[in-house]
C-alpha cells in the first residue's frame, strides 16, 4: 500500500516506522525543514562569548514510558545500539515553596515516604497509599483506554471493560482531581498541590478535571522518569533513524494543502486518493495518515467536509510560555526537573481559565547540562523555564510576556537567593503564538483538547475518519491525547487499525 503521512511529529514518525515495518511504501510530508515537531532542539550563542553555545530541547522535557520507544526498535527489528539509550532518574523532581520548604521527590518509594514525613510533617504513608491507588486505576482502566481505540466495538466488548465498569466508583471519575487529592492527603496543602500539578501533564485544570487523572503520578513515581542520553531530541533522532532504515521517504519543507478523495458511487464509499502539496504537486496514494492537528486537518485540508463541531470545538488544553535562558552559574540545589510553586494554585488556574497569567505562576525549570555537560559552557547551565499559559485567543502577548518575565525573575531570585537577571547570558522566548506557528497546533495548545470534562476522553477525535475511507489521524490532538507516550500510543492504535483492515 502507498501511504502518505502529513507531519513528522513524534506520532507521524512512529506511525511511519510501524507501517514501513509492515512492508508499506510510506512517504512523510513535513512543513518544517526538520523532523520532530514539538520535540526538536536548537542552540543559542552566549552573549559573552559568541563561540560558546547553550543547547535546548524546544518542547518536551519529561520522558516517561520509554517502553513505547523501545517497542519501535523491536518492530523494526533494529537494535537500539548506539542510537538510543536512557537512564532512570533517582530524583524525579525538586519542589520549592515560597515559605522556603524544599522537597526532593525521590523515585524510591521508601525514600519519598521519609522525605514527605520529614519536610511536610505528615504521615509519609499517605503518599504511598495514593501511589498504590494510582497504580490500581491504571491497571483497571488507564491501560485499557489508552492502548485501544474508543471508537471500535471490539474495545467495548472486552472482559476488561466490564471489570472497569464494575469498579467505576474506585476510579474517582465523579470527583475532581483536587477533591480526590484533598481526601487522600487530609487536605495537606503542599501534598495536594504536589499531586494536583499532574493535571498540567495534559494541559488540564485540577479543579475541573476528573479524579481519574490522579492515575498520572503512577507514570512518574510508579514506572519512573527517564533521561535519554544526549537530551529529549534523541527520541526524535532515534525514531527518524529507524524510519529511514525501514525505507520511509521524507519530504521536508513540503506543507500539504489538501487531502483528495474520490466521491462515492454504488459500490464504494468516499475514499481517500492522495494529497496535494502547497506548490500544487499531486501525490496519489491508498492511505493518508494526518499527524497535523486534527482541527486544522479539517479546516485547511478538508474544507468541503462537514466540520465535526462537537468533537473539535471542545475546550483546548493550556499552552505554555517558555524562556530559554543560558545562565552563567551552576546551582547545586537544582536537578533535572525543578518546580517553584505558586503561592495560590487555585488563583493561578482561575487566571488561566480567564485567558491570562497569574502574578505568581508556578515555574518549571529543566536543566540538562548537569547530565549532558556539552549542553552549556563550563560553569554555566541551560535553563528551560516554563510556566503554564492560556491558549492563544489573541491576548496582548507582548505585555503578558514582559510582565511574566519580570515576575519569574523576581520569584526565582527570591527563592534561590541570587539575582537571576544578571546571569542571563542567552535568551529566546516561545509563546502560544509561536507554538501555533511552528507546529500548526490550533491556538498553540500543547495537548489538543483539555481533559477538564469527565467526558473529554470519549469526545476526543477518533484515529480514523468515519466520512472518508482510508483516512486516519494520529498525534496529540486525537485519541488518546497529548504527551509523548500517548502520541506514540496513538501511532500504535492508528497503525494497528490500518494493518487490520488492509
Ligand atoms: P507535533 O509535534 O504537533 O507535530 C506536528 C507536525 O506536523 C509538525 O512538525 C508540523 O510542522 C507538521 N505539520 C502540520 N501541518 C502540516 C501540513 N499541512 N503539512 C505538512 N506538515 C504539517 N510531552 C511530554 O510527554 N512531556 C513533556 O515534558 C512535554 N512538555 C511539553 C512542553 C512544550 C513546550 C510543548 C510544546 C509540548 C510538550 N509536551 C510534552 C507535549 C508533546 O510535545 C506533544 O504532545 C507531542 O510532541 C506532539 O506530537 P505530535 O505527533 O502530535 O505532533
Amino acid at each position: 500500500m502507498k501511504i502518505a503521512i502529513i507531519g513528522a511529529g513524534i506520532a507521524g514518525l512512529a506511525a511511519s516506522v510501524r507501517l514501513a515495518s509492515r512492508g508499506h511504501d510510506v512517504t512523510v510530508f513535513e512543513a518544517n525543514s526538520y523532523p520532530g515537531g514539538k520535540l526538536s532542539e536548537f542552540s543559542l550563542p552566549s552573549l559573552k562569548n559568541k563561540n560558546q553555545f547553550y543547547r535546548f530541547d524546544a518542547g518536551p522535557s519529561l520522558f516517561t514510558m520509554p517502553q513505547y520507544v523501545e517497542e519501535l526498535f523491536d518492530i523494526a527489528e533494529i537494535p537500539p545500539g548506539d542510537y538510543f539509550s536512557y537512564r532512570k532518574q533517582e530524583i524525579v523532581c525538586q519542589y520549592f515553596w515560597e515559605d522556603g520548604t524544599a522537597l526532593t521527590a525521590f523515585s524510591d518509594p521508601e525514600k519519598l515516604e521519609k522525605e514527605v514525613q520529614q519536610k511536610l510533617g505528615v504521615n509519609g504513608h499517605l503518599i504511598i497509599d495514593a501511589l498504590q491507588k494510582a497504580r490500581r486505576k491504571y491497571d483497571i482502566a488507564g491501560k485499557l483506554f489508552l492502548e485501544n481505540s474508543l471508537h471500535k466495538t471490539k474495545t467495548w466488548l472486552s472482559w476488561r471493560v466490564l471489570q472497569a465498569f464494575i469498579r467505576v466508583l474506585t476510579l474517582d471519575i465523579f470527583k475532581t482531581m483536587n477533591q480526590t487529592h484533598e481526601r487522600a492527603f487530609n487536605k495537606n496543602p503542599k501534598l495536594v498541590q504536589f499531586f494536583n500539578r499532574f493535571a498540567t501533564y495534559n494541559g488540564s485544570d485540577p479543579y475541573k478535571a476528573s479524579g481519574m487523572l490522579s492515575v498520572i503520578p503512577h507514570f512518574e513515581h510508579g514506572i519512573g522518569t527517564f533521561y535519554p542520553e544526549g537530551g529529549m531530541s534523541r527520541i526524535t533522532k532515534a525514531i527518524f533513524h529507524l524510519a529511514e532504515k525501514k525505507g520511509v521517504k521524507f519530504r521536508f519543507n513540503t506543507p500539504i494543502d489538501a487531502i483528495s478523495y474520490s466521491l462515492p458511487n454504488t459500490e464504494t464509499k468516499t475514499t481517500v486518493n492522495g494529497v496535494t502539496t502547497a506548490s500544487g504537486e499531486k501525490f496519489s496514494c491508498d492511505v493518508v495518515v494526518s499527524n497535523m492537528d486534527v482541527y486544522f486537518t479539517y479546516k485547511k485540508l478538508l474544507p468541503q467536509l462537514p466540520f465535526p463541531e462537537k468533537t473539535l470545538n471542545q475546550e483546548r488544553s493550556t499552552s505554555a510560555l517558555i524562556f530559554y535562558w543560558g545562565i552563567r552559574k551552576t546551582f547545586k540545589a537544582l536537578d533535572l526537573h525543578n518546580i517553584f510553586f505558586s503561592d495560590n494554585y487555585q488563583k493561578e488556574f482561575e487566571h488561566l481559565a480567564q485567558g491570562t497569567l497569574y502574578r505568581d505562576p508556578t515555574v518549571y525549570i529543566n536543566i540538562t547540562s548537569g547530565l549532558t555537560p556539552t549542553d552549556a559552557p563550563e560553569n554555566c547551565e541551560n535553563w528551560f523555564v516554563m510556566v503554564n499559559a492560556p491558549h492563544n485567543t489573541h491576548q496582548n502577548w507582548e505585555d503578558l510576556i514582559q510582565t511574566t518575565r519580570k515576575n519569574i525573575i523576581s520569584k526565582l531570585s527570591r527563592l534561590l537567593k541570587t539575582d537571576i537577571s544578571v546571569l542571563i547570558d542567552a535568551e529566546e522566548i516561545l509563546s502560544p503564538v509561536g507554538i501555533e506557528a511552528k507546529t500548526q497546533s490550533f491556538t498553540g495548545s500543547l495537548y489538543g483538547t483539555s481533559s477538564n470534562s469527565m467526558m473529554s476522553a470519549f469526545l476526543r477525535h477518533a484515529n480514523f475518519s468515519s466520512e472518508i475511507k482510508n483516512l486516519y489521524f494520529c498525534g496529540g490532538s486525537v485519541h488518546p491525547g497529548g504527551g509523548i507516550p500517548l502520541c506514540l500510543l496513538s501511532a500504535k492504535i492508528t497503525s494497528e487499525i490500518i494493518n487490520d483492515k488492509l
Side-chain angles (χ1 to χ4, degrees):
M1 285 288 171
K2 201 170 165 191
I3 300 181
I5 298 182
I6 305 168
I10 199 74
L13 290 174
S16 79
V17 171
R18 287 179 176 275
L19 294 166
S21 300
R22 283 290 291 259
H24 300 298
D25 173 5
V26 182
T27 304
V28 178
F29 294 87
E30 168 54 53
N32 290 327
S33 56
Y34 54 87
K38 297 183 179 78
L39 186 41
S40 53
E41 66 177 347
F42 67 96
S43 294
L44 289 178
S46 149
L47 292 172
K48 285 244 164 73
N49 180 346
K50 295 272 179 247
N51 297 321
Q52 295 185 332
F53 289 87
Y54 296 89
R55 188 201 70 87
F56 296 93
D57 288 307
S61 50
L62 175 69
F63 183 37
T64 53
M65 314 288 267
Q67 67 268 32
Y68 297 132
V69 178
E70 284 189 341
E71 222 176 89
L72 296 172
F73 281 94
D74 289 347
I75 284 164
E77 295 178 334
I78 293 172
D82 295 338
Y83 294 104
F84 190 63
S85 61
Y86 58 87
R87 61 175 104 156
K88 188 167 179 185
Q89 290 299 109
E90 265 185 49
I91 294 174
V92 173
C93 188
Q94 294 285 4
Y95 290 98
F96 301 88
W97 281 270
E98 278 289 334
D99 64 2
T101 307
L103 179 117
T104 303
F106 292 103
S107 169
D108 179 85
E110 274 176 30
K111 276 181 155 177
L112 179 63
E113 182 179 354
K114 249 194 226 151
E115 176 80 356
V116 162
Q117 194 135 350
Q118 217 173 54
K119 299 283 177 60
L120 306 185
V122 289
N123 180 351
H125 212 266
L126 291 179
I127 202 160
I128 302 300
D129 291 345
L131 290 173
Q132 278 169 357
K133 192 164 179 196
R135 196 191 65 208
R136 277 200 300 277
K137 282 182 182 171
Y138 179 66
D139 291 342
I140 295 169
K143 210 168 170 1
L144 172 71
F145 291 119
L146 295 179
E147 293 192 358
N148 295 285
S149 168
L150 297 185
H151 306 85
K152 290 278 173 194
T153 324
K154 85 172 183 201
T155 306
W156 295 99
L157 293 180
S158 75
W159 170 239
R160 288 176 61 205
V161 171
L162 184 66
Q163 283 181 315
F165 273 114
I166 293 169
R167 301 203 207 149
V168 73
L169 290 178
T170 66
L171 302 176
D172 298 314
I173 287 175
F174 305 107
K175 290 190 207 116
T176 65
M177 225 176 151
N178 180 59
Q179 285 164 341
T180 306
H181 295 150
E182 284 199 331
R183 207 175 70 170
F185 301 124
N186 297 335
K187 297 199 173 177
N188 178 281
K190 291 196 172 77
L191 265 187
V192 172
Q193 196 170 21
F194 172 173
F195 268 56
N196 276 356
R197 187 180 81 86
F198 290 106
T200 64
Y201 283 32
N202 63 11
S204 302
D205 176 337
Y207 303 93
K208 293 181 186 160
S210 157
M212 176 64 204
L213 288 194
S214 64
V215 66
I216 300 174
H218 172 62
F219 299 138
E220 228 181 76
H221 283 276
I223 300 171
T225 61
F226 302 84
Y227 178 72
E229 298 299 346
M232 293 296 283
S233 59
R234 284 298 171 100
I235 303 172
T236 293
K237 287 178 188 160
I239 305 177
F240 178 60
H241 160 77
L242 276 186
E244 284 197 312
K245 284 262 174 202
K246 296 314 288 184
V248 175
K249 284 157 265 181
F250 283 88
R251 302 273 306 269
F252 290 107
N253 300 305
T254 312
I256 293 297
D257 261 9
I259 294 173
S260 52
Y261 45 89
S262 65
L263 293 172
N265 58 37
T266 43
E267 275 151 41
T268 56
K269 257 178 93 165
T270 309
T271 307
V272 90
N273 60 21
V275 292
T276 307
T277 67
S279 63
E281 181 196 343
K282 291 193 188 314
F283 180 88
S284 308
C285 57
D286 308 296
V287 170
V288 171
V289 179
S290 177
N291 174 220
M292 180 186 192
D293 188 318
V294 66
Y295 185 97
F296 282 140
T297 305
Y298 277 93
K299 283 278 178 197
K300 296 186 178 175
L301 309 191
L302 296 162
Q304 273 89 21
L305 221 60
F307 186 74
E309 303 279 345
K310 199 163 157 213
T311 311
L312 299 184
N313 281 343
Q314 283 186 85
E315 185 183 350
R316 300 292 293 178
S317 80
T318 48
S319 186
L321 185 54
I322 302 133
F323 299 87
Y324 306 93
W325 285 335
I327 294 285
R328 286 210 87 82
K329 186 173 161 62
T330 55
F331 287 80
K332 278 211 177 72
L334 300 181
D335 202 73
L336 176 63
H337 304 288
N338 311 276
I339 287 285
F340 295 79
F341 272 121
S342 162
D343 63 357
N344 190 332
Y345 215 34
Q346 191 155 3
K347 272 254 153 56
E348 182 176 357
F349 282 94
E350 282 166 15
H351 277 70
L352 292 173
Q354 288 158 13
T356 189
L357 281 122
Y358 184 48
R359 60 157 179 78
D360 181 33
T362 297
V363 182
Y364 166 74
I365 309 182
N366 173 251
I367 304 167
T368 60
S369 52
L371 295 173
T372 307
T374 49
D375 283 354
E378 215 179 338
N379 299 321
C380 300
E381 290 180 338
N382 62 339
W383 283 21
F384 166 104
V385 181
M386 181 171 87
V387 295
N388 293 311
H391 59 265
N392 179 28
T393 50
H394 309 292
Q395 297 91 329
N396 182 342
W397 283 109
E398 212 31 63
D399 267 13
L400 282 174
I401 290 169
Q402 287 319 319
T403 313
T404 305
R405 185 180 186 277
K406 233 186 274 156
N407 290 341
I408 293 176
I409 289 177
S410 125
K411 184 178 181 78
L412 294 178
S413 301
R414 192 165 63 242
L415 289 173
L416 291 171
K417 299 185 174 61
T418 310
D419 182 0
I420 299 300
S421 65
V422 297
L423 301 176
I424 299 174
D425 179 36
E427 179 174 51
E428 175 95 19
I429 299 171
L430 183 66
S431 74
V433 179
I435 294 170
E436 176 162 2
K438 274 173 80 176
T439 56
Q440 294 274 326
S441 303
F442 178 50
T443 68
S445 290
L446 301 193
Y447 306 96
T449 50
S450 80
S451 294
N452 285 342
S453 112
M454 213 169 68
M455 294 306 290
S456 321
F458 303 98
L459 288 174
R460 205 164 271 126
H461 199 287
N463 304 92
F464 56 90
S465 165
S466 43
E467 303 279 336
I468 303 181
K469 196 171 160 221
N470 293 348
L471 172 60
Y472 298 89
F473 307 96
C474 66
S477 64
V478 296
H479 177 71
I484 298 166
L486 302 202
C487 287
L488 295 176
L489 282 174
S490 89
K492 180 177 182 175
I493 295 168
T494 305
S495 309
E496 282 174 358
I497 299 173
I498 295 172
N499 287 330
D500 278 358
K501 256 185 119 179
L502 298 177

